[in-house]
Amino acid sequence: MIGTLTLVYDHHVHELGDALTGLQHQHHAAILSTLHIHLDAHLCLEVLVLRGPAEKIKEISDTLVGMRGVKHGKLAITSAAPL
């Protein structure tokens, strides 16, 4: 499966950026790419592309979305199989 996870978070929350990055490094085999955008003086948008079993993608996503300081998180999963 392939998933995209969109996060909006407050980068001023103590150690959130390090925690997000640390978790992404722990799951480097499943996270193919990230895009980071500064929305304003406080908020960042991060988009992650993940690949693997749906359960693993959902587990990683739930952990990231559940971190203190994450304002919004949305996961979309689709099949990686050719059409």
Side-chain angles (χ1 to χ4, degrees), residues 4-80:
T4 56
L5 174 62
T6 303
L7 299 172
V8 175
Y9 67 92
D10 183 344
H11 77 94
H12 286 293
V13 171
H14 184 65
E15 297 183 3
L16 177 59
D18 290 340
L20 289 170
T21 300
L23 188 73
Q24 291 176 34
H25 280 277
Q26 288 175 7
H27 297 286
H28 64 87
I31 298 174
L32 302 177
S33 183
T34 62
L35 170 68
H36 182 94
I37 299 169
H38 305 279
L39 297 175
D40 61 23
H42 297 277
L43 296 177
C44 293
L45 169 73
E46 198 149 294
V47 180
L48 294 83
V49 179
L50 303 100
R51 179 175 53 197
E55 299 80 22
K56 184 66 173 178
I57 292 172
K58 182 151 178 28
E59 174 189 321
I60 294 167
S61 298
D62 287 348
T63 302
L64 290 166
V65 171
M67 291 183 162
R68 188 177 68 81
V70 174
K71 304 290 186 183
H72 172 79
K74 179 73 174 175
L75 174 65
I77 299 179
T78 190
S79 173

